[in-house]
Amino acid sequence: FSPEFGIAKAFGKLLTEDIYNSVKGHISLQKKLKTLKVKDVYLKASKVSKVKTIWQMSKEVDLNSFYYPTTIIAEPTEVIVTGLSAFPENCKIVIEGTAGQGKSILLRYLASTELKEGTVLPIFVELRKISENNNLESLIVDGLKQLGIPITEDELEPILSSGKCVLLLDAFDELGSAYVRDSITSIESWCCKFHNLPIIISSRPEGTIQSSAHFNVYNIKKLMREDFEAILLKLFDDKKEVEGILNNIDGKNIASLVSTPLLLTLLAIHYVEEGDVPNSLEGFYENLFHVMCTRHDSTKPGYVREFCSGLNKDDLNNAFNAFCLECNVKDYSSISFQNANAIATKALEYAGHNESSPSLFLEDIVKVTCLLLREGHQYHYIHKSIMEYHAAKCISNMPESTKIDFYNHAAGSYVKHNQVLDFLSSLDNLLYIEYFKIPLIKGIIEDLDFKFILSNMFFFHSSEIRRGSSIDLHQGCNVFRAMDIYYDTDFYKFHNDVTQRLDTTNEVNGIDYYSHITLTEPHELEGYYRYVFNELKSKMYINLEELNEFVKKEKEKYNNFNFF
């Protein structure tokens, strides 16, 4: 998927009149706009709505055929997204969601919708494609050129300032770590320069862009049981089959755990192939590789597929686990052919099959499992969470000493490994708790200083919405991100209690919480605010005690096991 740009049905007028008139003084750019082959541009731009899904991998489908309106939480209200009009005018927003909540589909849907409306030019960019030779600006310019709009980087600024564009930046969390700082600098400079340019960015919770004071953060609401039928009816023509899936879900009592469209789709795939659903969420991912390997052969009784690589299904799975772990370690979301072959060679060696061809192994993963896509000269996963699960599976099968080394390493980089760690909390529960969770909580408690926390939370006012934000200090980010990830409910309550109590106006914009409380309510520091903070910290101490007790009991249970 190269960067896609939607141009609505009135794209001719939008480009050759509206934007044309907005870039006066740029004669060369006006000439290019006036001579565009607008029909070709539109046809290329319309591909933004064409996607391959894990449900139907054989061909691209129009996302409008299966899109189920996303609900976002914009405190204190919830908004159903049916188009750009769901957001404030000229908004600067991060749409935050966990793995599988449909962030990319939502941004593509917005681009597709604006394509039909024809009032603005939606600029859709996949941030994972930023590289050493391709920064954000050049990625947008190259994408426009691919559509037949041959602008230069110098001509990008007048287009963005025209008031006729919306910038849709997908998957900030998949941006390579080496390019985060420069990309944030570009994005924030555009926020300052182009007040009439809406910028919408999607990201998982661990994305650093959420810390920017230029952006409001909206969260995608989790699916509820009442959403399931409407989504499944977009996948199945037979209502009775949908009823069968729903009855199966309810019978297994896992409905409350299925909170994303991805998990619901995986569940449907498993039901179609196996006639049943797993008892747990881990079962989705555990069985996914098997289901995807055999789903195309279910109509061929007695048929056992031979893989191009010569591996059997279990060996292919083990090698894929190692391949995913290496990709995760290297922070690859897109993988060049050269890097993919090098990683495949290493993965096959790890799995004990170094005589197998790495290119044929990749062929099996792409064509049989459909978990890896090949587009142009790159590979990428059908969904990032698939890479993270199989990476976790690989780690869980390693010797205990190696797993402990990983947990010690992850304690200092848990944001990067958060989803892998989440899978390991089930796959390797005891060691995960003893060597990662307990040391992490101890570290958080040590750093959780009352004055430090409040001094690193600032007020800022944007669109008459008051909210607080931590500053971008290394230590501060670690503490705040740990709280967001592992104590999100309690930390939100603490943050909300303090914020709602404090009386602020635009005049205190940029002042940290501690300074403001000291000036306005000095006697409350040792009263209300200290009490709320100690309540938060007390819950962490209780959690730590419970985890230590769990590890102790588990070890005693196995120490007392009698083999004779």
Side-chain angles (χ1 to χ4, degrees):
F1 301 152
S2 60
E4 302 276 6
F5 304 86
I7 306 172
K9 59 184 178 181
F11 64 97
K13 178 179 180 299
L14 176 66
L15 284 176
T16 62
E17 293 184 32
D18 297 342
I19 295 180
Y20 175 90
N21 291 328
S22 299
V23 296
K24 290 179 179 178
H26 299 272
I27 306 302
S28 176
L29 177 57
Q30 283 189 313
K31 183 178 179 180
K32 292 174 183 178
L33 292 172
K34 207 65 174 178
T35 57
L36 285 176
K37 295 180 179 180
V38 288
K39 181 178 178 180
D40 291 342
V41 174
Y42 175 77
L43 290 174
K44 291 176 182 177
S46 65
K47 292 180 181 179
V48 71
S49 66
K50 305 295 183 183
V51 296
K52 285 185 178 179
T53 69
I54 201 166
W55 178 255
Q56 187 175 16
M57 290 299 304
S58 59
K59 62 179 181 180
E60 291 182 335
V61 295
D62 192 317
L63 63 84
N64 291 285
S65 67
F66 63 83
Y67 177 73
Y68 180 75
T70 302
T71 299
I72 58 171
I73 302 171
E75 296 291 352
T77 62
E78 295 182 359
V79 179
I80 298 175
V81 181
T82 56
L84 192 61
S85 59
F87 303 98
E89 187 177 2
N90 301 324
C91 61
K92 308 292 188 290
I93 290 173
V94 176
I95 295 178
E96 183 176 282
T98 58
Q101 282 197 287
K103 300 180 294 296
S104 297
I105 292 297
L106 173 57
L107 260 61
R108 285 181 175 274
Y109 171 77
L110 289 172
S112 175
T113 301
E114 294 312 306
L115 173 78
K116 298 168 186 174
E117 293 294 331
T119 55
V120 295
L121 172 66
I123 302 177
F124 176 86
V125 180
E126 290 180 300
L127 293 175
R128 65 181 175 83
K129 297 207 165 185
I130 291 178
S131 64
E132 184 177 352
N133 300 318
N134 219 6
N135 62 18
L136 181 55
E137 291 88 344
S138 63
L139 197 64
I140 294 175
V141 170
D142 288 345
L144 285 169
K145 287 179 180 177
Q146 290 173 27
L147 296 181
I149 308 175
I151 69 165
T152 64
E153 286 198 29
D154 291 338
E155 293 169 330
L156 178 61
E157 184 168 322
I159 287 181
L160 295 181
S161 64
S162 66
K164 296 295 181 180
C165 300
V166 55
L167 199 55
L168 304 168
L169 307 180
D170 183 40
F172 192 92
D173 55 283
E174 294 187 25
L175 181 61
S177 57
Y179 315 116
V180 168
R181 184 179 296 276
D182 287 344
S183 296
I184 289 179
T185 299
S186 293
I187 292 168
E188 290 190 330
S189 71
W190 291 344
C191 289
C192 296
K193 285 181 183 178
F194 313 130
H195 298 290
N196 58 352
L197 172 68
I199 302 177
I200 302 177
I201 304 174
S202 69
S203 178
R204 286 189 184 184
E206 61 265 27
T208 53
I209 190 63
Q210 286 93 315
S211 297
S212 172
H214 294 277
F215 286 87
N216 289 324
V217 179
Y218 292 171
N219 291 286
I220 296 179
K221 184 180 178 181
K222 293 181 179 179
L223 289 188
M224 306 300 288
R225 172 60 180 79
E226 53 264 30
D227 297 314
F228 292 1
E229 182 174 3
I231 294 175
L232 291 173
L233 284 172
K234 290 179 175 290
L235 304 179
F236 294 91
D237 295 325
D238 188 348
K239 191 170 183 179
K240 288 186 177 180
E241 193 162 19
V242 171
E243 290 175 355
I245 296 174
L246 294 174
N247 290 336
N248 207 279
I249 292 174
D250 295 334
K252 292 294 177 64
N253 197 33
I254 60 171
S256 62
L257 302 178
V258 182
S259 58
T260 71
L262 176 66
L263 287 174
L264 184 60
T265 303
L266 294 180
L267 182 149
I269 291 173
H270 194 282
Y271 179 84
V272 168
E273 299 302 322
E274 304 291 322
D276 197 3
V277 299
N279 290 307
S280 65
L281 291 186
E282 291 73 30
F284 281 113
Y285 288 93
E286 183 67 28
N287 296 333
L288 179 61
F289 191 90
H290 166 79
V291 169
M292 297 303 287
C293 276
T294 59
R295 66 184 302 207
H296 302 298
D297 306 327
S298 58
T299 59
K300 307 170 187 177
Y303 176 74
V304 178
R305 178 180 293 274
E306 291 186 4
F307 299 110
C308 296
S309 60
L311 302 177
N312 62 40
K313 187 166 57 182
D314 290 337
D315 291 337
L316 190 69
N317 194 354
N318 289 335
F320 184 62
N321 291 341
F323 181 87
C324 290
L325 178 58
E326 187 70 11
C327 288
N328 187 74
V329 168
K330 293 185 178 298
D331 203 19
Y332 286 152
S333 52
S334 292
I335 318 159
S336 68
F337 280 8
Q338 182 178 359
N339 287 337
N341 270 278
I343 294 172
T345 300
K346 189 173 181 179
L348 288 165
E349 183 178 351
Y350 171 84
H353 297 283
N354 51 336
E355 75 285 352
S356 297
S357 164
S359 60
L360 293 179
F361 161 77
L362 290 168
E363 190 79 3
D364 284 335
I365 298 301
V366 170
K367 290 190 174 181
V368 179
T369 74
C370 302
L371 299 178
L372 199 66
L373 295 175
R374 180 172 56 212
E375 293 178 338
H377 298 289
Q378 299 278 323
Y379 293 95
H380 69 87
Y381 291 91
I382 187 66
H383 199 275
K384 190 179 179 183
S385 63
I386 290 167
M387 174 187 74
E388 292 159 331
Y389 173 79
H390 285 277
K393 187 69 177 178
C394 187
I395 293 169
S396 72
N397 291 327
M398 289 178 169
E400 182 173 316
S401 60
T402 307
K403 288 191 281 189
I404 292 172
D405 286 342
F406 170 76
Y407 290 131
N408 290 336
H409 164 75
S413 55
Y414 52 83
V415 173
K416 174 182 177 181
H417 299 295
N418 181 40
Q419 192 63 52
V420 172
L421 289 162
D422 191 45
F423 284 125
L424 284 168
S425 69
S426 297
L427 295 171
D428 190 42
N429 184 245
L430 183 58
L431 290 182
Y432 165 85
I433 290 174
E434 183 176 8
Y435 292 101
F436 173 73
K437 194 69 178 288
I438 289 175
L440 177 71
I441 295 173
K442 287 180 178 178
I444 297 172
I445 290 174
E446 289 175 3
D447 289 336
L448 203 62
D449 175 76
F450 176 67
K451 181 177 178 180
F452 173 78
I453 289 291
L454 292 180
S455 295
N456 284 286
M457 294 167 64
F458 285 75
F459 292 105
F460 69 85
H461 295 263
S462 175
S463 302
E464 300 181 352
I465 297 174
R466 182 184 68 190
R467 59 187 283 259
S469 173
S470 61
I471 62 173
D472 192 15
L473 293 175
H474 178 69
Q475 183 186 8
C477 277
N478 280 342
V479 174
F480 281 105
R481 291 194 183 286
M483 298 299 291
D484 285 339
I485 293 171
Y486 298 102
Y487 293 95
D488 57 333
T489 302
D490 295 323
F491 185 53
Y492 175 79
K493 181 180 181 302
F494 164 75
H495 180 268
N496 193 55
D497 285 349
V498 175
T499 305
Q500 294 301 319
R501 183 181 174 93
L502 290 174
D503 182 26
T504 64
T505 64
N506 285 320
E507 282 68 36
V508 300
N509 199 23
I511 295 177
D512 68 89
Y513 284 24
Y514 188 80
S515 296
H516 186 64
I517 295 170
T518 303
L519 290 171
T520 59
E521 302 179 83
H523 301 297
E524 298 292 329
L525 280 176
E526 297 303 321
Y528 174 78
Y529 298 109
R530 177 72 69 174
Y531 170 79
V532 174
F533 175 79
N534 287 339
E535 190 179 49
L536 169 67
K537 203 164 185 177
S538 175
K539 290 184 178 180
M540 296 178 65
Y541 275 115
I542 293 170
N543 183 214
L544 184 60
E545 186 177 337
E546 290 172 345
L547 291 174
N548 277 312
E549 185 64 22
F550 171 80
V551 170
K552 179 183 177 182
K553 287 184 177 180
E554 286 296 300
K555 287 191 169 184
E556 287 176 351
K557 180 170 66 178
Y558 290 108
N559 285 339
N560 295 329
F561 192 87
N562 190 349
F563 288 96
F564 303 100

